[in-house]
Amino acid sequence: MTTRFSVIRDTTPASAITKGAAVALGNFDGVHLGHRAVISAAVDMARKRGAPAYAVTFEPHPRSFFSPNTPQFKLTELRDKLRLLAGTGLDGAVVMTFDARRAGTTAQDFINHDLIERLGVSGISVGFDFHFGKGRTGSPALLAAEGPKLGIEVHIQSHIDADGSAVSSTAIRNALGQGQIDEASTLLGYPWFISGEVVHGEKRGRDLGYPTANIRLDPACGLRHGIYAVRVGIGDKRVGGVASFGRRPTFDNGAPLLEVFLFDFKGDLYGQRPDVAFIGFIRDELKFDGIDALVRQMDDDSAKARAMLAAAPDAFPKLGIVTD
């Protein structure tokens, strides 16, 4: 068995795919606690057989394919989803392109061709509510019925609760949209995070004594506008900070931007892609009458952020290394 996390794509030759794997099947947006239960079952099946364990996922998300003009708030972009998957104990991921051909593939053809012939799976783990195939006719019940005929083990994961709340990607999006960072973290099993390239801004923060690293998030990001305590990953280093996500009503009320002030940090991050994990919500965006009032509030926000970070000293997502 290998410890490297590799990615199998549609272009990967069948001869390069290790047969006999147990697979976790799903979209895995967020790789939350429910997803992790599905993944854990696949890993357990694989270890018993001395076989690899893969996640089988789709890109783009089927919702984006069927409703291309409807903004989709994705919890994780593909790059970060793979890094999260790589931190779960899986040996790799199979990324299937979701296009017109895939949308037209029947559930039975998906099982017979994609899972059995191409991947040669020996076991499948799936969530109770996952559907696949043309017209979403594929179901966990179909997999359970076909498994014995094909000689493969099938595990169906029932729903997962966390602190009395049902775990789902939709519930996590709703929590983030309301600034309920603790709730989102509970359902995910880790602090929600984004990664993105640091870009040049207006440099106002420097003049205020709060220089920021600016990152433009996906326009469909549904995170509540406001001020947050964050922990930033820069390579192997973790740095605390306070971040503003929103339109900067005191200045220009422009396009949403994530502005991160790092505590006790000196360095140039332009062009880098740090990971920003959201640890706590501090307040909504406010419009200030003057710079002095704004700076006083930023001082207060920083103190609150430091306290939140001190209360959660190890909070950060577990990310693996992806070889692609």
Side-chain angles (χ1 to χ4, degrees):
M1 295 295 294
T2 177
T3 57
R4 297 173 67 243
F5 185 92
S6 57
V7 181
I8 298 168
R9 300 185 184 274
D10 295 346
T11 54
T12 303
S15 60
I17 301 172
T18 302
K19 302 301 190 289
V23 299
L25 182 61
N27 291 310
F28 301 119
D29 186 24
V31 195
H32 57 55
L33 289 179
H35 297 147
R36 288 168 187 265
V38 173
I39 290 166
S40 179
V43 171
D44 288 344
M45 281 191 279
R47 298 298 175 258
K48 291 175 184 177
R49 296 175 171 83
Y54 300 141
V56 175
T57 190
F58 305 89
E59 185 67 21
H61 193 292
R63 280 197 308 270
S64 297
F65 173 81
F66 288 114
S67 302
N69 297 319
T70 302
Q72 305 287 347
F73 176 17
K74 292 190 293 184
L75 297 175
T76 43
E77 298 294 335
L78 178 61
R79 173 181 176 271
D80 293 329
K81 178 166 70 172
L82 292 174
R83 295 167 70 207
L84 285 166
L85 291 171
T88 64
L90 288 165
D91 300 289
V94 181
V95 179
M96 297 184 176
T97 303
F98 199 91
D99 52 15
R101 184 191 66 80
R102 180 78 60 198
T105 299
T106 66
Q108 200 68 55
D109 281 347
F110 177 77
I111 294 171
N112 293 337
H113 177 264
D114 293 287
L115 297 182
I116 304 300
E117 293 178 16
R118 178 165 166 77
L119 297 178
V121 304
S122 63
I124 300 171
S125 177
V126 67
F128 73 99
D129 58 351
F130 184 76
H131 289 78
F132 59 94
K134 184 178 181 181
R136 289 171 51 84
T137 56
S139 66
L142 176 62
L143 289 171
E146 291 296 303
K149 303 175 189 176
L150 299 168
I152 59 175
E153 182 179 355
V154 175
H155 170 83
I156 300 173
Q157 179 62 49
S158 59
H159 82 279
I160 296 291
D161 287 342
D163 288 350
S165 299
V167 177
S168 72
S169 297
T170 297
I172 295 164
R173 291 187 195 97
N174 290 340
L176 293 172
Q178 296 171 32
Q180 296 174 349
I181 297 302
D182 288 345
E183 174 75 3
S185 297
T186 296
L187 299 177
L188 284 165
Y190 65 90
W192 181 70
F193 81 106
I194 64 91
S195 64
E197 182 178 353
V198 175
V199 299
H200 289 275
E202 298 297 326
K203 309 291 194 298
R204 295 192 189 99
R206 293 183 181 180
D207 297 333
L208 301 175
Y210 283 90
T212 58
N214 303 319
I215 302 173
R216 297 200 181 280
L217 305 189
D218 188 306
C221 177
L223 178 67
R224 180 174 180 169
H225 288 185
I227 311 302
Y228 295 86
V230 296
R231 181 167 284 118
V232 180
I234 307 167
D236 294 330
K237 181 183 292 186
R238 303 288 179 262
V239 183
V242 61
S244 169
F245 177 60
R247 298 182 179 277
R248 305 162 304 284
T250 300
F251 296 105
D252 56 11
N253 210 35
L257 182 70
L258 179 65
E259 301 172 284
V260 183
F261 171 67
L262 299 174
F263 299 142
D264 312 312
F265 175 83
K266 291 183 179 180
D268 184 354
L269 295 178
Y270 290 121
Q272 296 190 47
R273 292 183 62 90
D275 300 312
V276 182
F278 291 77
I279 307 303
F281 178 78
I282 297 174
R283 63 172 175 84
D284 285 321
E285 272 195 306
L286 297 172
K287 183 175 181 178
F288 294 89
D289 294 331
I291 298 302
D292 290 343
L294 172 59
V295 171
R296 284 195 298 271
Q297 183 63 62
M298 292 168 71
D299 291 341
D300 184 63
D301 295 337
S302 295
K304 289 178 179 176
R306 286 182 184 273
M308 289 180 174
L309 291 165
D314 301 318
F316 201 78
K318 183 178 180 180
L319 304 171
I321 297 174
V322 179
T323 57
D324 195 354

